[in-house]
Each structure stands twice: as structure tokens, then as C-alpha cells.
Amino acid sequence: MNKFYTSVRLDKDACNGCINCIKRCPTQAIRVRKGKAVITSKYCIDCGECIRICPYHAKYSTYNNIEVMDQFEYTVALPEPSLYAQYNNLEDVNILLTALKLMGFDDVYEVSAACEYISQMTKKYVEENQDKWPIISTACPAMVRLVQAKFPNLIDHLLPIKEPAELAAEFARKRAMEKTGLPSEKIGIISISPCPAKVTSIRMPIGINKSNIDAVFAIKDIYGTLLKYMDKAKENVENLSISGKTGIRWANVAGESFYLDTENYLAADGMENVMRILEELEEKRFIELKFIELNACSVGCVGGVLNVENPYIARVKLKKIRNGLPELKTFIDFSDTEKVNSAYWTEKLKYQPVFNLADNMIESMNKMEKAEKILDKFPGLDCGSCGAPTCRALAEDIVRGVANERYCFDVLRKLYKEVTHDDKSVD
Amino acid sequence: MSEGLVLNFKVLPNDFSRAGEASSTVKNKLKKLGVNPYIIRKVAVAMYEGEINMVIHGGGGEIEVTITPKEIKMVLEDAGVGIADVEKAMQKGFSTATDSIRSMGFGAGMGLPNMKSHTDEMNIDTQVGRGTKVTMTVYLDQGENHE
């Protein structure tokens, strides 16, 4: 089996072979070959940028169908707080949670409740680990994978706490087993998510061996179904919500930092911005910061590609939903050390140097020198016509043995001139 | 076998927005070469500090980086004001940066000592009014012990 899994896929028929996705991909994981986009899974961090940019909707994320619920005797929905922002005039989160039950789930467990738990843990962790400042949030799995592949010197700064949905899954499973007496395998924990990177986390969990989440539904996929149950839910609203303002805030950029009660935090969103910050951070340029929150998506999780609502409007809606709620509803009991400790990663995150040119340095150096020489032959337009995002990327593909110089239209043009002695028609 | 990779950079005077470009480029090349992250950090920090010094004091200049399987050598040369008292400049906190530059967060005086602590060898050749040449070397064969 391939060691690297990615949830982002290509609909070949829809792909028209244009350069939008290859130019947009932050890790240069995509090439156009034979007129179709190809993703190299070991470079992909599942950020979803290609899904967002593709004008032909040829990129999509895998996730589960609703039928998966039939495989379990008892199912629990784990709605992410972004879900609350998809509906107009939602005056009470409980209406939505009740609708989830009407839709067929036996119970719901809000991811935002786990967020509140993590918020309280993080506040303590940040104060107790000054030597690791700035601590970098690990709520965005695309960010964590980016750090793992490209920023080895920042791995020690990562907050070693499970992703909110993962922690919610753990709490939800425990509650379901206690409530029903069923064995674990008969209980289906299903997250409702805006994010392809979180889909990947089930197969390739971060900081743990095995995920507690059994399936993922995309918010946009169940949006309509859920809407149908909302009116009925209003007739008999169950009191299911166990999170306050703090947890719901996590759906927006800076929402996680807010609870930490410090001015010395940085919160950034959008791939380009976070990449720049990670670059600078590696040279230790923000030494006075305590906490850094980075969201691959603009505006935070409400900007995730599997949402329905415009992220900026979603942010406004969430603000209204928070009105009247207490700061916290889920409180941590630090004396319950077993529960607190179980929220930490069990596995040490390792650097995955997938971008190395070769297995050893001498060979890599030879390849880099070769690539530099090849690069001199290219026009430096970074036009993408060759299927690689930049001339340098093509040069590196060539030394890696997966492309050749004639992929470049300018090289071809020169060749044409040489062969035909026609100096005019192609200039 | 190759003599190593040689990279050349021009550093522009007082261009703070581009300061750090050279060190970032080197850092990213070292990553692609599979150099130990601990070494990469040393090179990135030392070179960034040196680059900033060239922007603030050196009136810009040139950097040559040579990468071999044994070592990374950085030569930073400027034709700026020079350093009057190298010993003093090597003290933590000493700085001749103007207040306006300090207010931007630069020139806190950590430059030279920080460069020295992040390199295995550092040599400063300077003359007041003529310029400064800083040569820094980081050895590669120490990486395994510093995971």
C-alpha cells in the first residue's frame, strides 16, 4: 500500500488540462500530463486549494456516503462548528443538532466541545512550555502536514494535542459505549466536516496510531438533507449542545487564540500567508510570540472547500450564533489526569523529507547542479505549458527522471528552428 | 566529482523588504539536498543575521555560498562602514544601529554573537571605511548527534 494517502482526487473527464491547479498548489504536487492533472500523493497536504481554484470542478475530495450509517448499530454525529454557519437565522444550535438526530443519527457530539477542552489544555501547555515558544496550533491538519514535509525545525513547536474532531470522537465513543453497552465496532462515529485534510486524517492520523472516526460526511453533501429536517426539529428541540462561545469561535481564524488571553499571539489564514510565516519563523524572527495559529483556508475552517456558505458571511452568522451563549460549557478537570493525558499525541511526529532530490546528499547535489544547468535552457516564464508550475520545477522533474526538456515549448521552438531553418514563423 | 554548489547573491542597501531573501533561498536548497535540519537551522539563522547586517551597516554587498558534502561556507562581503572594534561588536547587546532602525525591530545587537554561535567557524576581516568580509563555515558531519 502507498504510504501516502490523499483525499483529493481528479475527475479525468472534467479536467481540461489547464494550469490553474498546478500554479496554485502550495507544495507543487500537481503536474499536467497527457492533458490531465496528476497529483503526486507524497507531496499533497490535502489543503484543498486545487478544489477551490479548478474552473471545471474536476478536483474533488473523497468522503463517505450517507449509506455508511447502515453499517453500525449506533451512530454519533460529530458536527464541526462551521456547520452552524451554513444556515440562515439559526437562533439555536440545538435545532441543528436535533435535525441531525432526525436525519438518522442516534446521538450528536459537538466538535466545538472538544475545542473547549483543548482550549483549556492549550492555555496551560503554553504557560508551562516557554522553551517551546512560539507554540504552533495543530488544529489545521493541512498545516501540520506542511510543517512535517517542509519545516523540520518547527516540528518541536507544534502543540502535541489531538485534532478537535479526533478528541471529540474519543469522548463520543466512550459516552456511546457507556450509554448503550455496545462493543466499539458496532458504534459509528461520523464527523461532519468542511475539510479534505480531515478526511485524510482518518487514514493517516496525526500524532496517533489509529483514528476513532469511522467516516466523514462533507458539510455540502448533507446540507440539503439536514435543511429538510430543520422545521420538524423546531417542533421539539432537544437540549444537546455542550459548547459555548469558545468552541464555536474555533471555526474562524484567531478563534483558537482568543481563549489564551494573551496579546502575544499571531493568527494567519490563507495558504500564501501561512507559508510566508513558516519560512520566517524558521529563521526565528518572532521570538516574542507565545502562540501561532495558522489556517490553510482564508477566514479559518468556515473557508473550507466542503462548505456551502461564503466564508465571510459564515463568520458573521457565527458571531450571531455565539450571542447569549456562555464562554464555556465543557470544562476540563485537570485532576482527571487519565483523561487529560489521553488528549495528547501518542506518537512523535517525524520529519518527512519528501522533497529531497535524492536519497543521499552527494547524489542530491549532482542533481541540483544538473537542474541548474537545465534551467539555463528554459525561458524563465513559469508559464506552465510544460505541465509543471515553474521552469525550476520542470528542471527538477527532469533530474528526478520524470520529464524531459522537450516538454518546454521554448526548447521545442528552438528545435523547430534548427530543423526547419525557419526563423520567422514561430517568433 | 563536483567541487560543490556555488550560489551568489546581491544584497541591496536599506532594502528591508527583501532582506532575508538570500538566506531563505539557501535554506530551501539545503532542504532539497536532504541536509540535516539542525544544520539547516544554523545556516539559516547565521546567514539571515549577516544579511541583515549588510542591509543596515554594509551598504549592501555580495554573498557567496559554497555547499559541499563536507561543509557550507558563507562569505558575506560589503564595502560599508567597517567595524571599529570587533571585540566590542562581538559582545551581546552591543549595537551601533540608529534608533529609527532599532524601532523597526532590527539592530538589537544580537547579530555577530548570534552568527558565531550558529556557525562552527567565523572569521571577520574588516577595515573602518572600507568594508567588512565575514566568512562563516558550518560543518556537515556533525548532524547525527544533534537530532
Side-chain angles (χ1 to χ4, degrees), chain A residues 67-84:
Chain A
E67 288 76 39
V68 77
M69 288 170 79
D70 301 338
Q71 293 175 15
F72 304 97
E73 243 171 75
Y74 188 88
T75 53
V76 186
L78 303 184
E80 296 226 8
S82 320
L83 180 69
Y84 312 158

Side-chain angles (χ1 to χ4, degrees), chain A residues 207-209 345-349:
Chain A
I208 50 172
N209 269 325
W345 288 346
T346 53
E347 309 298 310
K348 204 171 153 37
L349 230 59

Side-chain angles (χ1 to χ4, degrees), chain B residues 18-32:
Chain B
R18 284 180 59 181
E21 250 180 37
S23 52
S24 261
T25 307
V26 170
K27 183 180 76 181
N28 286 317
K29 294 229 186 263
L30 294 178
K31 282 184 194 169
K32 279 197 174 150

Side-chain angles (χ1 to χ4, degrees), chain A residues 166 169 173 201-205 208-214:
Chain A
E166 195 54 58
R173 186 175 298 280
S201 287
I202 306 186
R203 294 272 201 107
M204 289 205 317
I208 50 172
N209 269 325
K210 197 182 168 301
S211 174
N212 253 304
I213 301 168
D214 296 299

